[in-house]
Amino acid sequence: MHDLSPLARFGGLVATDLLDVTSDPSALDTSGFWAVSADFEGRLVCARFGRVREEPVPAPAPGAWRGPAAGDWTSSLDRAAYTDGVRRVRDHIAAGDVYQANLCRVLSAPIAEGADVDALTALLARGNPAPYAGTIRLPGHGVEIATASPELFLRRTGRVVESGPIKGTGRTEADLLEKDYAENVMIVDLVRNDLGRVCETGTVTVPDLCVVEKHPGLVHLVSTVRGELRPDAGWPGLLAAAFPPGSVTGAPKSSALRVIDALETAPRGPYCGGIGWVDADRGTGELAVGIRTFWIDRSEGVLRFGTGAGITWGSDPEGEWRETELKAERLLKVASGTYAPSDGSPSCCASPGDDTRAPGRASGQDGAHGTTSQGETQ
């Protein structure tokens, strides 16, 4: 919808008055306030806005967002294909190709022509608040994203950079396994190496390791990696060293990317990329890992959402499938719901008769709970 004006929201800031759009990361070291979207496959969109003001995310407006019905979601990988993919990743681990690889699937559902991601943002802010929530609406440039990301990819304050990789997910802390802790440490080591490519020798540290963080409906293990950029390193070098985020690729990263390319059947797009803002005038910026993220694909007329899990030798295929469902469950219910004027919150339930047990189905194929039928969601 080209008649939707360009806009970006991050926390309590909203940016308007679009000035420039570029794919050159060196622009982030010049001047102005930039919204940044980096697709997992490498497409970079940097949009400079002329006006930035403090403004809370508005309350949901009745009828402003009409999301897909719960039964409309389809998955790029159904349950059988995903669990088979987990087994194939374990084969690669046994062969010594990788230590860990993330396996993801992309969910899609038809969306109304006039759908506005900023209206979805209002629902997400109340139905699934997140520390790195953000919105980038650039219809003329093919970018319409609403993220409820809990994960920090890169934060920069002057020369100091920080990353907060998440590995390990459960409904409660008691669900976290030894495998989750091992996986987190493995990815922390990868992120340390990434930042070490552009940071001063000896400055890369891990202030926090495997801290349990509570988020809506689940818990994560989160670590912090910090370093000081070399004088000759700016955003281009930082992005080149750290992208794509290690927590959503695997280790070694180059080998994991080859495994991902062979097993996944749909591009990730903004999902698992980087989404956020850079204030070049102040030398600050904050990019989230593009997880818990919705984006509109106007060419296909669909809303998309990604979910995945990190696979190690200790992974159970069915358990990893369930983890992808857990990560998506709450978000899809919010996106498929409607505003409830009685209490000012989104309805997390679909219309009567829809099955909302699990996030996504593959049309005509077996899903999480058996063969799907019309109107059900797997």
Side-chain angles (χ1 to χ4, degrees), residues 103-130:
L103 184 62
C104 300
R105 55 195 181 102
V106 175
L107 311 177
S108 304
I111 193 70
E113 182 179 351
D116 177 9
V117 290
D118 198 38
L120 175 56
T121 296
L123 289 175
L124 292 173
R126 286 148 182 85
N128 198 97

Side-chain angles (χ1 to χ4, degrees), residues 82-175:
Y82 189 86
T83 53
D84 180 65
V86 173
R87 296 183 186 95
R88 291 172 65 184
V89 172
R90 293 183 76 253
D91 289 342
H92 282 287
I93 295 171
D97 301 328
V98 292
Y99 304 110
Q100 188 255 32
N102 254 57
L103 184 62
C104 300
R105 55 195 181 102
V106 175
L107 311 177
S108 304
I111 193 70
E113 182 179 351
D116 177 9
V117 290
D118 198 38
L120 175 56
T121 296
L123 289 175
L124 292 173
R126 286 148 182 85
N128 198 97
Y132 304 105
T135 305
I136 303 178
R137 187 177 70 191
L138 301 168
H141 300 274
V143 178
E144 296 179 79
I145 299 168
T147 183
S149 177
E151 183 172 1
L152 175 66
F153 174 34
L154 293 169
R155 177 186 293 124
R156 181 177 171 186
T157 306
R159 309 307 300 172
V160 176
V161 294
E162 192 172 277
S163 185
I166 288 177
K167 295 311 296 182
T169 301
R171 289 192 183 274
T172 68
E173 185 174 352
D175 294 330

